[in-house]
Amino acid sequence: MARGKANGSQPKGDGVGAGKDELLGYYRDMLLIRRFEERAGQLYGMGLIGGFCHLYIGQEAIAVGVQAVKRPGDQVITGYRDHGHMLACGMDPREVMAELTGREGGSSKGKGGSMHMFSREADFYGGHGIVGAQVSLGTGLALADKYRDNGNVSWTYFGDGAANQGQVYESFNMAQLWKLPCVYIIENNQYAMGTSVERSSSETHLFKRGASFRIPGEEVDGMDVLAVRAAAQKAADHARAGNGPYILEMKTYRYRGHSMSDPAKYRTREEVDDVRKTRDPIDHIEELLEKQGFADEATLKAIDAEVKRIVADAAEFARTSPEPDPSQLYTDVYTEAAQ
């Protein structure tokens, strides 16, 4: 198994091997997630979003980097910090935001909310509210791929907190025993809900969790979209070749609390500010674009303006879309068998 650095200080990629269009695309996609989540936070504060709301701010490079190597037909499944994954998969920002506000125009018709969106069209098999539950489901998706021999990979995400769930290890065992094409991605943002990895896990190198099942893995700088892309390509090649699952531990950091109701008093403001100043994934791509001569300040401002227009439109749609009709309360609960 490859061994990564544990302190999160991996050197950033220099952009070699990535062209202008690729870097600009990554920049735009990450900026869309950032601006979308910022607006979602505002709508939550205004009372337009109810229930739980977990923002992806700071972790954008992971979803975007993996999406860069995902093939059509590959499935994506994750936990409840899911808005960024939906946008990376290509879901309409309008539908995602409208689902957050519980409106009829949402991707799940306003009945799923923040944690339970779904899109077969985008190969997105959900946000899931039960910690670690998606790991077993993602393993099942990989079993279906193996059975159908379709060459697809199941990209199964979970967090450092879910890494201690028993069902995760049952899934690991089955996936390796049956050589299932599953890439397990641990988004290690250091704090689970509010407890640091050092206080909650006896083995803090989470990519090693598959060692007893003979599953290879490695630690990746999850704040560097190019490092994520390279690691994801390696893991996908391993899985598609019939070698079974692979574990990627993405060392990342969330700037906001666990959810909108979390004041995050378990860490200092200085710690958060230091990560923002030295490791921000969007700043890193911006620096590469300028260093390579691919974009100047005006170009980047134009992209930001475009993204802000998209997000503003999504917020307005989410605010004005009607709520589901009461007659829809009991629909979409079960699938009726064909007569």
Side-chain angles (χ1 to χ4, degrees):
M1 297 174 67
R3 182 177 179 85
K5 295 182 180 179
N7 60 9
S9 60
Q10 297 91 335
K12 296 290 185 185
D14 60 4
V16 175
K20 176 180 178 179
D21 291 343
E22 289 175 296
L23 289 178
L24 284 171
Y26 301 152
Y27 178 78
R28 181 194 177 279
D29 291 346
M30 288 194 291
L31 197 60
L32 174 61
I33 295 172
R34 178 74 57 89
R35 298 291 182 246
F36 182 97
E37 293 289 66
E38 290 170 347
R39 181 58 65 91
Q42 293 172 359
L43 295 182
Y44 187 94
M46 295 166 61
L48 295 175
I49 296 175
F52 290 102
C53 184
H54 307 81
L55 302 182
Y56 202 63
I57 297 174
Q59 301 183 205
E60 299 90 351
I62 302 173
V64 172
V66 171
Q67 184 67 24
V69 302
K70 175 189 173 294
R71 294 182 184 176
D74 286 358
Q75 307 99 336
V76 173
I77 188 168
T78 188
Y80 41 74
R81 198 178 306 281
D82 50 4
H83 316 153
H85 294 281
M86 300 169 196
L87 296 173
C89 284
M91 291 176 64
D92 186 341
R94 279 183 152 207
E95 293 185 358
V96 177
M97 194 71 87
E99 190 62 37
L100 291 177
T101 58
R103 303 305 176 101
E104 187 178 68
S107 59
S108 296
K109 303 177 184 178
K111 296 186 284 185
S114 173
M115 299 191 289
H116 302 105
M117 295 191 222
F118 189 94
S119 174
R120 283 286 299 272
E121 296 76 17
D123 300 317
F124 182 75
Y125 284 75
H128 294 267
I130 303 301
V131 176
Q134 74 277 11
V135 179
S136 299
L137 297 174
T139 305
L141 291 170
L143 175 60
D145 291 333
K146 172 91 172 187
Y147 182 80
R148 294 167 178 157
D149 193 24
N150 56 20
N152 291 340
V153 166
S154 170
W155 301 92
T156 300
Y157 291 83
F158 58 103
D160 46 296
N164 293 318
Q165 288 279 327
Q167 59 193 318
V168 171
Y169 301 99
E170 294 178 32
S171 299
F172 283 177
N173 184 58
M174 286 181 166
Q176 179 66 350
L177 188 64
W178 296 339
K179 299 298 182 186
L180 303 184
C182 191
V183 177
Y184 296 108
I185 302 175
I186 306 173
E187 294 189 284
N188 182 0
N189 61 27
Q190 316 299 314
Y191 284 101
M193 289 184 69
T195 305
S196 68
V197 174
E198 290 75 14
R199 292 183 60 211
S200 62
S201 298
S202 57
E203 173 53 81
T204 58
H205 298 282
L206 302 183
F207 70 96
K208 293 182 177 180
R209 293 297 180 89
S212 62
F213 306 102
R214 300 180 180 176
I215 301 177
E218 62 185 282
E219 187 177 276
V220 184
D221 184 355
M223 307 296 272
D224 182 347
V225 68
L226 299 181
V228 171
R229 184 187 68 173
Q233 187 64 66
K234 177 181 176 181
D237 291 346
H238 174 93
R240 294 191 208 279
N243 297 318
Y246 202 95
I247 297 173
L248 296 175
E249 179 190 354
M250 302 291 183
K251 295 296 289 292
T252 186
Y253 198 85
R254 55 172 166 76
Y255 296 165
R256 303 290 184 92
H258 171 70
S259 69
M260 287 298 297
S261 60
D262 172 24
K265 293 182 179 179
Y266 42 81
R267 61 186 185 183
T268 65
R269 171 50 56 187
E270 290 74 21
E271 178 183 309
V272 179
D273 289 343
D274 181 66
V275 176
R276 280 182 175 272
K277 292 176 182 177
T278 63
R279 300 186 62 215
D280 186 80
I282 297 175
D283 287 350
H284 172 52
I285 289 296
E286 186 173 324
E287 291 168 4
L288 286 179
L289 284 165
E290 293 177 341
K291 178 181 178 181
Q292 300 286 354
F294 292 158
D296 55 18
E297 183 178 354
T299 300
L300 298 177
K301 283 186 176 181
I303 293 173
D304 193 19
E306 176 207 0
V307 165
K308 286 179 177 177
R309 284 194 296 270
I310 292 171
V311 172
D313 174 72
E316 181 63 16
F317 178 77
R319 189 184 66 81
T320 58
S321 183
E323 294 184 353
D325 189 86
S327 65
Q328 296 296 308
L329 182 61
Y330 295 106
T331 59
D332 301 316
V333 178
Y334 297 106
T335 298
E336 297 292 339
Q339 301 295 322

Coordinates of all heavy atoms in Angstrom, one line a residue, residues 183-249:
V183 N -14.6 2.1 -6.1 CA -13.5 3.0 -5.5 C -14.1 3.7 -4.3 O -15.1 4.5 -4.4 CB -13.1 4.1 -6.5 CG1 -12.1 5.0 -5.9 CG2 -12.5 3.4 -7.8
Y184 N -13.6 3.4 -3.1 CA -14.1 4.0 -1.9 C -13.3 5.3 -1.6 O -12.0 5.2 -1.6 CB -13.9 3.0 -0.7 CG -14.7 1.8 -0.8 CD1 -14.1 0.5 -1.1 CD2 -16.0 1.8 -0.6 CE1 -14.8 -0.6 -1.2 CE2 -16.8 0.6 -0.7 CZ -16.2 -0.6 -1.0 OH -16.9 -1.7 -1.1
I185 N -14.0 6.4 -1.5 CA -13.3 7.7 -1.3 C -13.7 8.2 0.1 O -14.9 8.5 0.4 CB -13.8 8.7 -2.4 CG1 -13.4 8.1 -3.8 CG2 -13.1 10.0 -2.2 CD1 -13.9 9.0 -4.9
I186 N -12.7 8.3 0.9 CA -12.9 8.8 2.3 C -12.6 10.3 2.3 O -11.4 10.7 2.1 CB -12.0 8.1 3.3 CG1 -12.2 6.6 3.2 CG2 -12.3 8.6 4.7 CD1 -11.2 5.8 4.1
E187 N -13.6 11.1 2.4 CA -13.4 12.6 2.5 C -13.1 12.9 3.9 O -13.9 13.2 4.7 CB -14.7 13.3 2.0 CG -14.9 13.1 0.5 CD -16.0 14.0 0.0 OE1 -17.2 13.7 0.3 OE2 -15.7 14.9 -0.7
N188 N -11.8 12.9 4.2 CA -11.3 13.2 5.6 C -11.1 14.7 5.8 O -10.1 15.2 5.5 CB -10.0 12.4 5.8 CG -9.5 12.6 7.3 OD1 -10.1 13.2 8.1 ND2 -8.4 11.9 7.6
N189 N -12.2 15.3 6.4 CA -12.1 16.7 6.6 C -11.7 17.0 8.1 O -11.9 18.1 8.6 CB -13.4 17.4 6.3 CG -14.6 17.0 7.1 OD1 -14.5 16.5 8.2 ND2 -15.8 17.1 6.5
Q190 N -11.1 16.0 8.7 CA -10.4 16.1 10.0 C -11.3 16.1 11.2 O -10.8 15.8 12.3 CB -9.6 17.4 10.1 CG -8.8 17.7 8.8 CD -7.8 16.6 8.5 OE1 -7.0 16.1 9.3 NE2 -7.7 16.2 7.2
Y191 N -12.6 16.4 11.1 CA -13.4 16.5 12.3 C -14.7 15.7 12.4 O -15.4 15.9 13.4 CB -13.7 18.0 12.5 CG -12.6 18.8 13.0 CD1 -11.8 19.6 12.2 CD2 -12.2 18.7 14.4 CE1 -10.7 20.3 12.6 CE2 -11.1 19.5 14.8 CZ -10.4 20.2 14.0 OH -9.3 21.0 14.4
A192 N -15.0 14.9 11.4 CA -16.3 14.2 11.5 C -17.4 15.2 11.8 O -17.5 16.2 11.2 CB -16.3 13.0 12.5
M193 N -18.2 14.9 12.8 CA -19.2 16.0 13.2 C -18.5 17.1 14.0 O -18.6 18.3 13.7 CB -20.3 15.3 14.1 CG -21.2 14.4 13.3 SD -22.6 13.8 14.3 CE -23.5 15.3 14.6
G194 N -17.8 16.7 15.1 CA -17.1 17.8 15.9 C -15.9 17.2 16.7 O -15.4 17.9 17.5
T195 N -15.5 16.0 16.3 CA -14.5 15.3 17.0 C -13.3 15.0 16.1 O -13.5 14.5 15.0 CB -14.9 14.0 17.7 OG1 -16.1 14.2 18.5 CG2 -13.8 13.3 18.5
S196 N -12.1 15.4 16.4 CA -11.0 15.2 15.5 C -10.7 13.8 15.3 O -11.0 12.9 16.2 CB -9.8 15.9 16.1 OG -9.3 15.3 17.3
V197 N -10.0 13.5 14.2 CA -9.7 12.1 13.9 C -8.8 11.5 15.0 O -8.9 10.4 15.4 CB -8.9 12.0 12.5 CG1 -8.4 10.6 12.2 CG2 -9.9 12.5 11.4
E198 N -7.9 12.3 15.5 CA -6.9 11.9 16.5 C -7.7 11.4 17.8 O -7.2 10.5 18.5 CB -5.9 12.9 16.9 CG -4.9 13.2 15.8 CD -5.5 14.1 14.6 OE1 -6.6 14.6 14.8 OE2 -4.9 14.1 13.6
R199 N -8.8 12.0 18.1 CA -9.6 11.6 19.3 C -10.5 10.5 19.0 O -11.0 9.9 20.0 CB -10.4 12.9 19.8 CG -9.5 14.0 20.3 CD -10.4 15.1 20.9 NE -11.2 14.6 22.0 CZ -12.4 15.1 22.3 NH1 -12.9 16.0 21.5 NH2 -13.1 14.6 23.3
S200 N -10.9 10.2 17.8 CA -11.9 9.2 17.5 C -11.4 7.9 16.8 O -12.1 6.9 16.8 CB -13.0 9.8 16.6 OG -12.5 10.2 15.4
S201 N -10.2 8.0 16.3 CA -9.7 6.8 15.5 C -8.3 6.4 16.0 O -7.4 7.2 16.0 CB -9.6 7.2 14.0 OG -10.9 7.5 13.5
S202 N -8.2 5.1 16.3 CA -6.9 4.6 16.8 C -5.9 4.5 15.6 O -4.7 4.7 15.9 CB -7.0 3.2 17.4 OG -7.6 2.3 16.5
E203 N -6.4 4.3 14.4 CA -5.5 4.4 13.2 C -6.0 5.6 12.4 O -7.1 5.6 11.9 CB -5.6 3.1 12.4 CG -4.9 3.2 11.0 CD -3.5 3.6 11.1 OE1 -2.7 2.7 11.4 OE2 -3.1 4.8 10.9
T204 N -5.1 6.7 12.4 CA -5.5 7.9 11.8 C -5.2 8.0 10.3 O -5.7 8.9 9.6 CB -4.9 9.1 12.5 OG1 -3.4 8.9 12.4 CG2 -5.3 9.2 14.0
H205 N -4.4 7.0 9.8 CA -4.2 6.9 8.4 C -5.3 6.1 7.8 O -5.2 4.8 7.7 CB -2.9 6.3 8.1 CG -1.7 7.0 8.6 ND1 -1.2 8.2 8.0 CD2 -0.9 6.9 9.7 CE1 -0.2 8.7 8.6 NE2 0.0 7.9 9.7
L206 N -6.4 6.7 7.4 CA -7.6 6.0 7.1 C -7.5 5.2 5.8 O -8.3 4.2 5.7 CB -8.8 7.0 7.0 CG -9.1 7.8 8.3 CD1 -10.3 8.7 8.1 CD2 -9.2 6.9 9.5
F207 N -6.6 5.5 5.0 CA -6.4 4.7 3.8 C -6.0 3.3 4.1 O -6.0 2.4 3.2 CB -5.5 5.4 2.8 CG -4.1 5.4 3.2 CD1 -3.2 4.4 2.7 CD2 -3.6 6.4 4.0 CE1 -1.8 4.4 3.1 CE2 -2.3 6.4 4.4 CZ -1.4 5.4 4.0
K208 N -5.4 3.1 5.3 CA -5.0 1.8 5.7 C -6.1 0.9 6.2 O -5.9 -0.3 6.4 CB -4.0 1.9 6.8 CG -2.7 2.6 6.4 CD -1.7 2.6 7.6 CE -0.4 3.2 7.3 NZ 0.5 3.2 8.5
R209 N -7.3 1.4 6.3 CA -8.4 0.6 6.8 C -8.7 -0.6 6.0 O -9.4 -1.5 6.5 CB -9.6 1.5 6.9 CG -9.5 2.6 8.0 CD -9.3 2.1 9.4 NE -9.2 3.1 10.4 CZ -10.2 3.7 11.0 NH1 -11.4 3.3 10.8 NH2 -10.0 4.6 11.9
G210 N -8.3 -0.7 4.8 CA -8.6 -1.9 3.9 C -7.5 -2.9 4.0 O -7.5 -3.9 3.3
A211 N -6.4 -2.7 4.8 CA -5.2 -3.5 4.8 C -5.6 -5.0 5.1 O -5.1 -5.9 4.5 CB -4.2 -3.0 5.7
S212 N -6.4 -5.2 6.1 CA -6.8 -6.5 6.6 C -7.6 -7.3 5.5 O -7.7 -8.5 5.6 CB -7.5 -6.5 7.9 OG -8.7 -5.8 7.8
F213 N -8.2 -6.5 4.6 CA -8.9 -7.1 3.5 C -8.1 -7.2 2.2 O -8.6 -7.6 1.1 CB -10.2 -6.4 3.2 CG -11.0 -6.2 4.5 CD1 -11.1 -5.0 5.2 CD2 -11.8 -7.2 5.0 CE1 -11.8 -4.8 6.3 CE2 -12.6 -7.1 6.1 CZ -12.6 -5.9 6.8
R214 N -6.8 -6.7 2.3 CA -5.9 -6.7 1.1 C -6.4 -5.7 0.0 O -6.2 -6.0 -1.1 CB -5.7 -8.1 0.5 CG -5.1 -9.1 1.5 CD -4.9 -10.5 0.9 NE -4.3 -11.4 1.9 CZ -4.1 -12.7 1.7 NH1 -4.4 -13.2 0.5 NH2 -3.6 -13.4 2.6
I215 N -7.0 -4.7 0.5 CA -7.5 -3.6 -0.4 C -6.4 -2.5 -0.5 O -6.1 -2.0 0.6 CB -8.8 -3.0 0.0 CG1 -9.9 -4.1 0.1 CG2 -9.2 -1.9 -1.0 CD1 -11.2 -3.5 0.5
P216 N -5.8 -2.2 -1.6 CA -4.8 -1.2 -1.7 C -5.4 0.2 -1.5 O -6.6 0.4 -1.7 CB -4.2 -1.3 -3.1 CG -5.3 -2.0 -3.9 CD -6.1 -2.9 -2.9
G217 N -4.6 1.1 -1.1 CA -5.1 2.5 -0.9 C -4.0 3.5 -0.8 O -2.8 3.1 -0.7
E218 N -4.3 4.7 -0.8 CA -3.4 5.8 -0.6 C -4.0 7.1 -0.1 O -5.2 7.3 -0.2 CB -2.6 6.1 -1.9 CG -3.5 6.5 -3.1 CD -2.7 6.7 -4.4 OE1 -2.0 7.7 -4.5 OE2 -2.9 5.8 -5.2
E219 N -3.2 7.9 0.4 CA -3.6 9.2 0.9 C -3.3 10.3 -0.2 O -2.3 10.2 -0.9 CB -2.9 9.6 2.1 CG -3.4 10.9 2.8 CD -2.6 11.1 4.1 OE1 -3.0 10.5 5.1 OE2 -1.6 11.9 4.1
V220 N -4.3 11.2 -0.4 CA -4.2 12.2 -1.5 C -4.5 13.5 -0.9 O -5.3 13.7 0.0 CB -5.3 11.8 -2.6 CG1 -5.2 12.8 -3.7 CG2 -5.2 10.4 -3.0
D221 N -3.9 14.5 -1.5 CA -4.2 15.9 -1.1 C -5.5 16.3 -1.7 O -5.6 16.6 -2.9 CB -3.1 16.9 -1.6 CG -3.3 18.3 -1.2 OD1 -4.3 18.6 -0.6 OD2 -2.4 19.1 -1.4
G222 N -6.5 16.2 -0.9 CA -7.9 16.5 -1.4 C -8.2 18.0 -1.6 O -9.3 18.4 -2.0
M223 N -7.2 18.9 -1.4 CA -7.3 20.3 -1.7 C -6.7 20.6 -3.1 O -6.7 21.8 -3.5 CB -6.6 21.1 -0.6 CG -7.1 20.8 0.8 SD -8.8 21.2 1.1 CE -8.7 22.9 1.6
D224 N -6.2 19.6 -3.8 CA -5.5 19.8 -5.1 C -6.3 19.0 -6.1 O -6.2 17.8 -6.1 CB -4.1 19.4 -5.0 CG -3.3 19.6 -6.3 OD1 -3.9 19.8 -7.3 OD2 -2.0 19.5 -6.2
V225 N -7.0 19.7 -7.0 CA -7.9 19.0 -7.9 C -7.1 18.1 -8.9 O -7.5 17.0 -9.3 CB -8.7 20.0 -8.7 CG1 -7.9 20.9 -9.7 CG2 -9.8 19.3 -9.5
L226 N -5.8 18.5 -9.2 CA -5.0 17.7 -10.1 C -4.5 16.4 -9.4 O -4.4 15.3 -10.0 CB -3.9 18.5 -10.6 CG -4.3 19.7 -11.5 CD1 -3.0 20.5 -12.0 CD2 -5.2 19.4 -12.6
A227 N -4.2 16.5 -8.1 CA -3.8 15.3 -7.4 C -4.9 14.4 -7.2 O -4.8 13.2 -7.3 CB -3.3 15.8 -6.0
V228 N -6.1 14.9 -7.0 CA -7.3 14.1 -6.9 C -7.6 13.4 -8.3 O -7.8 12.2 -8.3 CB -8.6 15.0 -6.6 CG1 -9.8 14.1 -6.7 CG2 -8.4 15.5 -5.2
R229 N -7.5 14.1 -9.3 CA -7.7 13.5 -10.7 C -6.7 12.4 -10.9 O -7.1 11.3 -11.4 CB -7.6 14.6 -11.8 CG -7.9 14.1 -13.1 CD -7.6 15.1 -14.2 NE -6.1 15.4 -14.4 CZ -5.6 16.1 -15.3 NH1 -6.4 16.7 -16.2 NH2 -4.3 16.3 -15.4
A230 N -5.5 12.6 -10.7 CA -4.5 11.6 -10.9 C -4.7 10.3 -10.1 O -4.6 9.2 -10.6 CB -3.1 12.1 -10.6
A231 N -5.0 10.5 -8.8 CA -5.3 9.4 -7.9 C -6.6 8.6 -8.3 O -6.6 7.4 -8.3 CB -5.4 9.9 -6.5
A232 N -7.6 9.4 -8.7 CA -8.8 8.8 -9.1 C -8.6 8.0 -10.4 O -9.2 6.9 -10.5 CB -9.9 9.9 -9.4
Q233 N -7.8 8.4 -11.3 CA -7.5 7.7 -12.5 C -6.8 6.4 -12.2 O -7.2 5.3 -12.8 CB -6.7 8.5 -13.5 CG -6.5 7.9 -14.9 CD -7.8 7.8 -15.6 OE1 -8.4 8.8 -16.0 NE2 -8.3 6.5 -15.8
K234 N -5.9 6.4 -11.3 CA -5.2 5.2 -10.9 C -6.1 4.2 -10.3 O -6.1 3.0 -10.6 CB -4.1 5.6 -9.9 CG -3.3 4.4 -9.4 CD -2.2 4.9 -8.4 CE -1.5 3.7 -7.7 NZ -0.5 4.2 -6.8
A235 N -7.0 4.7 -9.4 CA -7.9 3.8 -8.7 C -8.9 3.2 -9.7 O -9.3 2.0 -9.6 CB -8.6 4.6 -7.6
A236 N -9.4 4.0 -10.6 CA -10.4 3.6 -11.6 C -9.8 2.5 -12.5 O -10.4 1.5 -12.8 CB -10.9 4.7 -12.4
D237 N -8.5 2.7 -13.0 CA -7.9 1.7 -13.8 C -7.7 0.4 -13.1 O -7.9 -0.7 -13.7 CB -6.5 2.2 -14.2 CG -6.5 3.4 -15.2 OD1 -7.6 3.7 -15.7 OD2 -5.5 4.1 -15.3
H238 N -7.4 0.5 -11.8 CA -7.3 -0.7 -11.0 C -8.6 -1.5 -10.9 O -8.7 -2.7 -11.1 CB -6.9 -0.3 -9.5 CG -6.8 -1.4 -8.6 ND1 -5.7 -2.2 -8.3 CD2 -7.8 -2.0 -7.7 CE1 -6.0 -3.1 -7.4 NE2 -7.2 -3.0 -7.0
A239 N -9.7 -0.8 -10.7 CA -11.0 -1.4 -10.5 C -11.5 -1.9 -11.9 O -12.1 -3.0 -12.0 CB -12.0 -0.4 -10.0
R240 N -11.4 -1.1 -12.9 CA -11.9 -1.6 -14.3 C -11.1 -2.8 -14.8 O -11.6 -3.5 -15.6 CB -11.8 -0.4 -15.3 CG -12.7 0.8 -15.0 CD -12.7 1.7 -16.1 NE -13.0 3.1 -15.7 CZ -14.2 3.6 -15.4 NH1 -15.2 2.8 -15.5 NH2 -14.3 4.8 -15.0
A241 N -9.9 -3.0 -14.3 CA -9.1 -4.1 -14.8 C -9.4 -5.4 -14.1 O -8.8 -6.4 -14.4 CB -7.6 -3.8 -14.6
G242 N -10.4 -5.3 -13.2 CA -10.9 -6.6 -12.5 C -10.1 -6.9 -11.3 O -10.2 -8.0 -10.8
N243 N -9.4 -5.9 -10.8 CA -8.5 -6.1 -9.6 C -9.2 -5.9 -8.3 O -8.6 -6.0 -7.2 CB -7.3 -5.3 -9.7 CG -6.4 -5.6 -10.9 OD1 -6.2 -6.8 -11.2 ND2 -5.9 -4.6 -11.6
G244 N -10.5 -5.5 -8.3 CA -11.3 -5.2 -7.1 C -11.2 -3.8 -6.7 O -10.8 -2.9 -7.4
P245 N -11.6 -3.5 -5.4 CA -11.8 -2.2 -4.9 C -10.4 -1.5 -4.6 O -9.4 -2.1 -4.5 CB -12.6 -2.4 -3.6 CG -12.2 -3.7 -3.2 CD -12.0 -4.5 -4.4
Y246 N -10.5 -0.2 -4.4 CA -9.4 0.7 -4.1 C -9.9 1.8 -3.1 O -11.0 2.2 -3.2 CB -8.8 1.3 -5.4 CG -7.4 1.8 -5.3 CD1 -6.4 0.9 -5.7 CD2 -7.0 3.0 -4.8 CE1 -5.0 1.3 -5.7 CE2 -5.7 3.4 -4.7 CZ -4.7 2.6 -5.1 OH -3.4 3.0 -5.1
I247 N -9.0 2.1 -2.2 CA -9.4 3.2 -1.2 C -8.6 4.4 -1.4 O -7.3 4.3 -1.5 CB -9.2 2.7 0.2 CG1 -10.1 1.5 0.5 CG2 -9.5 3.8 1.2 CD1 -9.9 0.8 1.8
L248 N -9.2 5.6 -1.5 CA -8.6 6.9 -1.6 C -9.0 7.7 -0.4 O -10.2 8.0 -0.2 CB -8.9 7.6 -2.9 CG -8.5 6.9 -4.2 CD1 -9.1 7.7 -5.4 CD2 -7.0 6.8 -4.3
E249 N -8.0 8.0 0.4 CA -8.3 8.9 1.5 C -7.9 10.4 1.1 O -6.8 10.7 0.9 CB -7.5 8.6 2.8 CG -7.7 9.5 3.9 CD -6.8 9.3 5.1 OE1 -6.0 8.4 5.1 OE2 -6.8 10.1 6.1

